[in-house]
Amino acid sequence: MQRDSDPPSRKRSGEPASTEEAGGLKDSDREGPADDKPQGFVPEDEAEYDKPHEEGPHGKAALAIERKLEHRAEEEAAAASSPFALMGYFTTPKDIYHACETLRDAGYSRFDAHTPFPVHGLERAMGLKASPLPWLVLGGGAAGLSGGILLAWYTQLYDYPLIISGKPAFSYQAFIPIFFELTVLVAALTCFFGLFALGRLPSFFHPTMTHPSFPRATDDAFFISVEVSDPKFDATETRNLLQRAGAQGIREVSS
Amino acid sequence: MKSHGSALAEDTKVLDRAVAKRLVSRSMVLAIAGVALSALAAVVDTKRFAFSYLTGFTWVVTIGLGALFFVIIQHLTRARWSAAARRHMEWMSGVLPACAVLFLPVAVLAHDIYHHWMGPQAANDHLLQQKAPYLNPTFFYIRAGVFLAAWAALSLWFIKTSRAQDESADFRPTAKMRAGSAPAVIVFALTISFASFDWLMSIDPHWYSTIFGVYVFAGAATSSLSALALITIALHKAGLLRKVSNVERQHDIGKLLFGFTIFWAYIAFSQFLLIWYANIPEETIFYRHRWEGSWKVVSLALLFGHFVVPFLVLLSRHAKRSPLVLGAASVLLLVMHYVDLYWLVMPNVDHHGAHLSWIDLAGLLGPLGVGAWVLSLQAAKSPLYPLNDPHLAEAARIDNP
């Protein structure tokens, strides 16, 4: 499963893809002498001070063991978390368009495309359903309109009737601009927050971000991520499908 | 076609000769019948006919003006989506030169229509004496001549330049029209405003509204876009245009129509709110007349038919892409534009309530028949889309995701 994955320590480093591809997956084990000096707050009282490792009987060997244990714990944590998606990238909009069509036609439904710029018609190639957002906005607009009418009626007629410039107490004509503004305001706010909710935002971390080449999704790479939760997902078959479509850097990412 | 290869091979370039001939002959029959009916009505009841004819005439002239505005604005914004729509609007703006002839009955009957300030009683009216430097018959006729000449010149120039490109496959006409569109839009804005003041607002010379020109313009834009939607749908239905004008372009026209429907309501309400709030007798009387008796029904019909119903119908994307729904909304808006003008003009004749008469129909059919005839003449002799427009390929490609 994890045959292409990097050890987690490297995974989040976001190194450029070119090094990663050319230089293979060599883990530059952190054995340098740089960070074996104590850092941060050092108490003045010698008695409280736990002697630095290099001066102690175990010295650098103990430090190395500690590091190795840390490393292992990290790896175990990575292995324990379930894979989220299989990712791969293409270098032209045309390729990702056709790959999306292939996935759609193969019956996949839970996959996403990450592109540096809008690729026109991609939502059709992906077979995405129409967004429910317009209906939410319509509801928001209707709610704003009725809220505005209610507000004007309550304040002007029900709660405290006032005669202004000799006009009837509830002169709706004067409030049409308010009805209009409230309709637009609530519709716009529904649109804004509805989009956040539908996109599950704000989200500070997403498994796709752990793909080492993912920064290129804002530059020159067109990513596809097929989620493991897709009913059609099969580790080897999906990988083959992506490979046949011409994807590069195929790897599994986990949450 | 070097510029766009075989991408547009599916589009028909010109109307089939037999179809064009049938179109022209049928609309000519309509024109002759309309003019004959108008002449009869003019003999039977000259006074009422004068007002009815003014309503029908302004209906045709505003549709032509809305079309001219569309052509100008497409060049001004260097729009690329609208290549085919621009040609259909050019056809429609072709009625403007004919409007110079259609204006003649208004010019002859002006003393009936504008009797408040053209008649002898104006001499005893202090307010009209103050307005006399502008509102006097001589200046009125001079202005009308200027407006009609300007519109005829603008529409003929845009049609001629656009047609020249059909033959030459040259970019220069496009550049020329773009350069000409900026001064043209200034001329357009001034002429349509003052023409509305002169021909519609001055029927009741004591009443005034500074937004009136914009109100008439909003109706012109809405009605011409409705007519464009109908032409587009008809050409799609007949299978004549498939690429350069398709359902995406129909959707775009629907969006503009939806926008101008709201614009009309916005302007109409702006005019109403200020007058209603200030409640000054000489201004409020306008709405008072239009809220009496059956005029109230017409006012409400206008509110619902010209705004509420088309707004709710055209809100949906599916409606704008459906030929049936968009076509129905367009027909409704064209009818409502006539009702709008009827509502502006006729309360000056029918006080305390609307009274429909066959003369009103005659006053509409005359200009309508002539307008339809000119439009079909244009459609018969001109290609169905600008054959060498530099943006044809884009017009065929751009879609609404």
Side-chain angles (χ1 to χ4, degrees), chain A residues 145 171-182, chain B residues 269 272-273:
Chain A
L145 177 64
S171 294
Y172 65 90
Q173 294 93 331
F175 295 99
I176 286 177
I178 292 148
F179 300 161
F180 171 73
E181 297 294 347
L182 274 172
Chain B
F269 181 73
F272 170 79
L273 184 69

Side-chain angles (χ1 to χ4, degrees), chain A residues 7-254:
Chain A
S9 61
R10 245 188 89 90
K11 245 191 198 173
R12 292 193 178 82
S13 66
E15 292 223 41
S18 50
T19 354
E20 171 256 323
E21 267 152 38
L25 303 168
K26 205 179 350 146
D27 192 7
S28 52
D29 291 327
R30 297 189 241 161
E31 285 170 350
D35 60 358
D36 46 13
K37 282 229 171 78
Q39 292 181 342
F41 176 66
V42 179
E44 303 233 352
D45 190 354
E46 283 286 329
E48 276 179 47
Y49 193 79
D50 193 6
K51 274 192 172 182
H53 286 295
E54 65 255 52
E55 286 174 24
H58 311 300
K60 283 185 179 175
L63 199 63
I65 288 168
E66 206 173 283
R67 292 245 181 273
K68 226 160 232 171
L69 285 174
E70 259 175 31
H71 201 122
R72 194 169 298 159
E74 260 182 53
E75 260 180 351
E76 273 166 9
S81 68
S82 55
F84 171 77
L86 192 66
M87 288 182 79
Y89 67 86
F90 303 86
T91 46
T92 66
K94 201 175 153 196
D95 287 344
I96 196 173
Y97 188 92
H98 292 311
C100 283
E101 282 181 328
T102 313
L103 279 169
R104 177 198 64 193
D105 295 341
Y108 287 86
S109 54
R110 295 187 60 84
F111 66 97
D112 208 353
H114 318 263
T115 59
F117 50 82
V119 176
H120 288 289
L122 199 61
E123 69 283 341
R124 241 167 294 152
M126 292 172 69
L128 290 183
K129 281 199 277 306
S131 161
L133 194 61
W135 291 105
L136 289 179
V137 176
L138 182 67
L145 177 64
S146 22
I149 294 173
L150 208 66
L151 180 70
W153 167 81
Y154 179 79
T155 54
Q156 299 297 311
L157 187 70
Y158 184 79
D159 191 40
Y160 201 91
L162 258 187
I163 304 295
I164 299 165
S165 69
K167 299 203 161 48
F170 179 52
S171 294
Y172 65 90
Q173 294 93 331
F175 295 99
I176 286 177
I178 292 148
F179 300 161
F180 171 73
E181 297 294 347
L182 274 172
T183 309
V184 174
L185 177 71
V186 180
L189 288 178
T190 313
C191 189
F192 184 76
F193 289 109
L195 196 64
F196 264 67
L198 291 176
R200 297 200 189 90
L201 291 170
S203 148
F204 300 109
F205 172 77
H206 196 267
T208 50
M209 293 178 187
T210 60
H211 191 291
S213 308
F214 200 62
R216 283 179 65 193
T218 61
D219 182 15
D220 63 345
F222 301 77
F223 278 85
I224 280 187
S225 58
V226 186
E227 289 179 24
V228 175
S229 57
D230 192 300
K232 283 282 289 179
F233 186 85
D234 177 89
T236 41
E237 212 168 276
T238 309
R239 180 181 291 273
N240 288 341
L241 192 71
L242 283 178
Q243 239 151 19
R244 274 201 305 278
Q248 304 173 35
I250 303 175
R251 63 180 58 219
E252 221 157 48
V253 293
S254 46

Side-chain angles (χ1 to χ4, degrees), chain B residues 161-174:
Chain B
T161 318
S162 173
R163 290 286 300 281
Q165 199 176 38
D166 287 345
E167 268 124 54
S168 68
D170 185 358
F171 183 75
R172 265 172 300 173
T174 300

